[in-house]
Amino acid sequence: MFKPVRHGCTALLCAMLLGAGVAAHAAGIKEGLKITFIPKQINNPYEVIADNGGMAAITEIKGVGKVVGPSDAGASSQVPYINTLITQHQDVIVIAANDANALVPYLKKAMSQGIKVVTFDSDTAPEGRQIFVNQADAESIGRGQIQLVSKLMGGEGEFAILSATPNATNQNTWIKWMQDELKKPEYAKMKLVKIAYGNDDDQKSFVETQGLLQAYPNLKAIVAPTSVGIAAAARYISSSSSKGKVVVTGLGTPNQMRAFVKDGTVQAFQLWDPGALGYLASYAAANLASGTITGKEGDSFEAGKLGKRTIGKQGEVILGPPTTFDAKNIDNFNF
Ligand code: RAM
C-alpha cells in the first residue's frame, strides 16, 4: 500500500536555509537529479524531520525529491517501494533500512541498473549500498547510552532496554556496544534484565513498557534507543506510580520529550539533529549521482551548510556527536 508523497522542511530548517541564502548551485552537482527517500516508516516524527531535511537539500541543488515508504517498520515492508523506484528510474534511493540483509538483493538490483543507493540512519550490509550516512559513531552512541543511564540510576540496579524492531540495524548495533560497555567494572552493580521490542510502534511500545514494569518490580530504569519507544515509555510512566521512581532515558526528539522533561518523568536523553542527517544524506546522494564521488574511503564533498565531509571506512559518512537534552537546555531545540 502506497502512502502519499511528502515534500517540505521543518520551520527551523527552512528558516536556516533561507537565512543563510543557500541557493547557489553546489559545485559539480547535476541539476534535476531524481532522489527518493524511503524512511523506516512514513509516520514516525523522527523520520519526518529527517526526510524534510533531505528534501530541503534537494531543493537547494535543484533536484526532484520525494518521500515514499511503509507505515510500519517491518523487515520487508520497504521492498515494494524499492521495486517501484527501480521502474521509475530514479537517480538515487536514500533509505533508512529496516533490515541489514532482507533489502540487499533489491538494492543490488537497483544499483545494477545504474541507480545509486545511500543508506542513512539505519544501514544495510555494505554490499547493499554505496554510502551510509550515519548520525554519529555507533560505538559512542551505544557506550554513551549506558554512561547516561548509569548516571541517572546511581550506577546500580536492574534496567531494561526498550528497542525498536528486532531487525533494526541501527538499534542492534547500538545495543551491541551498550552490552560491551556494561562489561566494564564500574557497571558491575547494574543488571540488564530484558531487551524488549516496541517495533517503533507507539502502542506496542506503550504496552511493552507496562509489561516490563509488571515483570520486573525492582526495575530502576528503561533505556529506549528509539524516539518512538522513549516517548511511549515516558507517556506510560508519567501517569503511573513509577513516575519519579523508574528512570526513562534513551534517544528521542526534544519536541516529543519536552512535556515529560517538564513534568519530571525524564531527566535527560540524547539525539542528533535528524533534519541535518537527512540534509547530509541528500548531498551525499547528489554527489554520488553526479560522479563527484564514488563512495570510497577518503572521497570528500561539500554538503551545503554542513560544509565539507569526508567518507570513512566502508563508505560511512558521520554527521557528528549527539546532544544530551535536559531541563536546562531543551527549550533551545525545536525539532
Ligand atoms: C526511531 C528510529 C530511528 C532512530 C531513532 C533514534 O525514530 O528507530 O531509526 O534513529 O528512533
Side-chain angles (χ1 to χ4, degrees), residues 48-261:
V48 173
I49 304 167
D51 299 338
N52 288 346
M55 295 305 110
I58 295 169
T59 303
E60 281 177 17
I61 58 162
K62 300 188 171 67
V64 182
K66 65 177 173 176
V67 182
V68 297
S71 54
D72 69 276
S76 57
S77 53
Q78 293 167 314
V79 169
Y81 297 91
I82 298 170
N83 287 337
T84 301
L85 294 175
I86 294 173
T87 63
Q88 291 175 351
H89 304 294
Q90 295 296 295
D91 292 299
V92 195
I93 295 173
V94 181
I95 183 166
N98 281 330
D99 188 280
N101 302 306
L103 306 173
V104 169
Y106 306 94
L107 294 172
K108 272 187 166 169
K109 184 176 169 205
M111 289 189 283
S112 75
Q113 301 196 13
I115 298 173
K116 307 293 182 197
V117 176
V118 172
T119 51
F120 78 112
D121 181 50
S122 185
D123 201 9
T124 58
E127 62 269 25
R129 48 66 176 173
Q130 280 129 331
I131 292 177
F132 170 42
V133 181
N134 197 355
Q135 34 270 58
D137 166 62
E139 178 175 349
S140 351
I141 296 176
R143 294 197 189 283
Q145 291 279 284
I146 292 298
Q147 288 153 12
L148 180 59
V149 72
S150 165
K151 201 166 114 190
L152 297 173
M153 63 191 278
E156 60 178 86
E158 295 183 352
F159 75 102
I161 294 175
L162 175 63
S163 190
T165 64
N167 298 319
T169 325
N170 52 345
Q171 274 88 11
N172 285 347
T173 310
W174 301 332
I175 290 170
K176 193 186 80 172
W177 287 115
M178 288 164 84
Q179 288 170 315
D180 195 69
E181 179 71 9
L182 270 177
K183 290 180 189 151
K184 293 185 181 168
E186 58 259 48
Y187 307 112
K189 291 185 177 160
M190 281 170 57
K191 189 174 176 209
L192 173 60
V193 290
K194 170 99 178 164
I195 302 175
Y197 296 93
N199 291 352
D200 269 352
D201 175 89
D202 174 70
Q203 198 48 38
K204 175 148 171 60
S205 305
F206 190 84
V207 170
E208 289 292 327
T209 303
Q210 184 179 31
L212 286 171
L213 294 169
Q214 279 166 2
Y216 303 97
N218 297 322
L219 201 69
K220 281 187 71 184
I222 295 177
V223 190
T226 138
S227 60
V228 178
I230 191 176
R235 195 172 81 252
Y236 183 85
I237 288 188
S238 68
S239 60
S240 79
S241 57
S242 300
K243 183 178 169 187
K245 295 189 198 125
V246 176
V247 167
V248 182
T249 189
L251 302 172
T253 69
N255 287 357
Q256 284 180 281
M257 299 307 291
R258 195 177 324 277
F260 305 118
V261 170

Side-chain angles (χ1 to χ4, degrees), residues 251-274:
L251 302 172
T253 69
N255 287 357
Q256 284 180 281
M257 299 307 291
R258 195 177 324 277
F260 305 118
V261 170
K262 305 250 172 189
D263 78 1
T265 306
V266 173
Q267 288 177 55
F269 64 98
Q270 301 178 314
L271 200 69
W272 42 89
D273 179 349

Side-chain angles (χ1 to χ4, degrees), residues 35-56:
I35 303 176
T36 297
F37 272 53
I38 308 181
K40 275 184 166 180
Q41 62 196 123
I42 203 100
N43 48 351
N44 170 347
Y46 169 99
E47 303 279 337
V48 173
I49 304 167
D51 299 338
N52 288 346
M55 295 305 110

